[in-house]
């Protein structure tokens, strides 16, 4: 049973495409917007490929439920989970989709990189990323916001498994030595086999651990109610807050003079790499204290912090 489908990204893509039509963008900002559009579209393709496998094998199965595109918040932390698969034994599979057009490479230290235009490019570990998602999910399950199913008066604790789903056309180069968790990095086509391997029969405990289908659905819907859709301030994201005023109404001569004087008198820099940044970039960070901790960062460092929190 499918409890939640993927949220549409159409509106965000439309806003970004409209931004690209502006003639007053710097070349760097234009390239950043184009890159973000490519990433969103690649993410849509990757999630769609994984969603197809999940729905083909488990979508009509009465003992499984599927949740797509679940964004959870716990205190100041956020988990953007691509897919969740749950069975009646409360075995939860948290799936992270990765659209890799070329190759995914893992070295002996468990560090990840991808082949891009014939060159290796380091990327954040999807295993670590998914573990952060699972950590936030675990903390939410320990609150009273979600009522865990019970059997014979006992609250059942879910068992959670991490899966990294890589596009089928990609190749995965693994190290010769053992790296913990690397067996959870699989291609989409291997999903069914891996899930059945991990969700082994519980033997004599199967009856005790198996919840009614209605309880499974209720649990999944409670989890879906915790979904907090992302609201992107794309102007602020790219340090273009000043365009909002231009769109709403023309600036007066005194406003322009004040703004120009502010640019001369004020100096902003990234707390991480110490590069000079615009006032808009600094204000964007300060207005998103839950992400940046009240510190100002340049665009590149902002992206690194956001990736670490995913």
């Amino acid at each position: 049973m499918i409890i939640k489908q993927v949220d549409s990204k159409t509106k965000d893509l439309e806003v970004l495409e409209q931004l690209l039509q502006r003639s007053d963008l710097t070349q760097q900002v234009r390239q950043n917007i184009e890159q973000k559009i490519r990433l969103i579209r690649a993410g849509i393709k990757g999630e769609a490929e994984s969603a197809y496998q999940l729905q083909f094998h488990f979508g009509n199965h009465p003992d499984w439920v599927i949740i797509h595109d679940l964004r959870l918040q716990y205190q100041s932390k956020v988990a953007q989970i691509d897919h969740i698969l749950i069975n009646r034994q409360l075995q939860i599979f948290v799936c992270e989709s990765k659209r890799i057009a070329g190759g995914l490479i893992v070295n002996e230290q468990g560090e990840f990189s991808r082949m891009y235009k014939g060159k290796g490019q380091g990327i954040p570990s999807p295993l670590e990323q998914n573990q952060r998602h699972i950590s936030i999910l675990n903390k939410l399950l320990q609150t009273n916001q979600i009522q865990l199913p019970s059997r014979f008066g006992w609250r059942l604790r879910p068992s959670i498994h991490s899966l990294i789903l890589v596009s089928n056309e990609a190749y995965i180069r693994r190290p010769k030595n053992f790296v913990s968790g690397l067996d959870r990095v699989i291609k989409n086509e291997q999903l069914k086999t891996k899930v059945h391997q991990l969700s082994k029969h519980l033997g004599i405990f199967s009856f005790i651990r198996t919840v009614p289908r209605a309880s499974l659905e209720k649990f999944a819907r409670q989890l879906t109610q915790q979904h907090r859709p992302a609201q992107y301030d794309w102007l602020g994201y790219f340090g273009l807050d000043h365009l909002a005023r231009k769109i709403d109404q023309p600036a007066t001569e005194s406003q322009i003079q004040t703004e120009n004087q502010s640019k001369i008198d004020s100096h902003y820099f990234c707390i991480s790499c110490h590069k000079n940044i615009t006032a808009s970039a600094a204000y964007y960070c300060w207005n998103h204290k839950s992400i940046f901790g009240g510190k100002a960062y340049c665009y590149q460092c902002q992206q690194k912090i956001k990736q670490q929190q995913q």
Side-chain angles (χ1 to χ4, degrees), residues 1-218:
M1 179 186 298
I2 301 172
I3 302 297
K4 180 185 177 300
Q5 295 285 6
V6 177
D7 290 350
S8 174
K9 308 294 191 302
T10 301
K11 184 177 179 180
D12 290 315
L13 287 173
E14 289 177 350
V15 171
L16 293 174
E17 293 286 359
Q18 289 173 3
L19 274 179
L20 279 180
Q21 302 305 312
R22 298 190 64 92
S23 60
D24 53 353
L25 299 178
T26 66
Q27 185 62 27
Q28 183 61 56
V29 170
R30 187 174 299 278
Q31 290 175 356
N32 292 339
I33 295 174
E34 290 172 345
Q35 181 185 30
K36 176 56 68 174
I37 291 174
R38 288 194 296 269
L39 289 173
I40 292 176
R41 287 176 174 164
I44 291 173
K45 290 181 180 179
E47 291 180 14
E49 185 178 308
S50 300
Y52 171 80
Q53 293 291 333
L54 284 161
Q55 292 169 192
F56 184 85
H57 296 296
F58 304 100
N60 295 321
H61 199 296
D63 294 336
W64 294 84
V65 296
I66 301 170
I67 301 173
H68 295 301
D69 194 15
L70 184 67
R71 186 175 183 271
L72 302 175
Q73 288 183 311
Y74 178 79
Q75 296 179 351
S76 61
K77 298 179 180 179
V78 176
Q80 180 68 58
I81 300 176
D82 293 333
H83 316 278
I84 290 182
L85 179 66
I86 315 173
N87 63 18
R88 290 176 62 193
Q89 286 76 44
L90 290 192
Q91 294 171 321
I92 301 177
F93 297 85
V94 177
C95 305
E96 173 74 15
S97 296
K98 288 298 176 186
R99 175 78 176 177
I100 304 293
L104 182 66
I105 304 169
V106 189
N107 66 17
E108 287 72 14
Q109 288 73 43
E111 299 168 335
F112 285 74
S113 60
R114 65 166 182 164
M115 291 302 297
Y116 182 72
K117 295 183 178 180
K119 296 182 180 180
Q121 183 181 67
I123 62 173
S125 168
L127 288 172
E128 295 297 330
Q129 181 182 29
N130 217 29
Q131 281 304 125
R132 290 193 291 270
H133 295 170
I134 290 173
S135 174
I136 293 173
L137 174 60
N138 258 323
K139 289 175 180 176
L140 270 176
L141 293 177
Q142 294 170 12
T143 67
N144 58 6
Q145 299 178 55
I146 301 173
Q147 185 177 5
L148 295 172
S150 61
R151 290 284 284 166
F152 307 108
W154 292 88
R155 293 283 182 197
L156 299 181
R157 293 298 307 172
S159 59
I160 304 180
H161 304 276
S162 173
L163 288 178
I164 311 301
L165 306 179
V166 182
S167 45
N168 290 331
E169 65 268 26
Y171 67 84
I172 304 175
R173 185 184 301 171
R174 305 173 188 268
K176 295 180 179 179
N177 62 300
F178 173 79
V179 174
S180 178
L182 198 54
D183 62 315
R184 305 301 178 94
V185 180
I186 61 175
K187 292 191 176 183
N188 281 308
E189 61 191 5
Q190 299 171 305
L191 172 66
K192 179 184 177 182
T193 301
K194 193 65 176 180
V195 167
H196 284 311
Q197 175 189 334
L198 294 173
S199 56
K200 294 179 180 178
H201 191 64
L202 299 175
I204 61 173
F205 299 101
S206 180
F207 175 72
I208 300 175
R209 288 281 310 181
T210 302
V211 302
R213 289 166 182 159
S215 297
L216 172 61
E217 181 180 349
K218 179 181 178 181

Side-chain angles (χ1 to χ4, degrees), residues 234-248:
W234 290 116
L235 289 176
Y237 187 91
F238 294 106
L240 301 173
D241 300 271
H242 59 286
L243 295 183
R245 186 199 64 201
K246 293 180 180 179
I247 293 173
D248 294 336

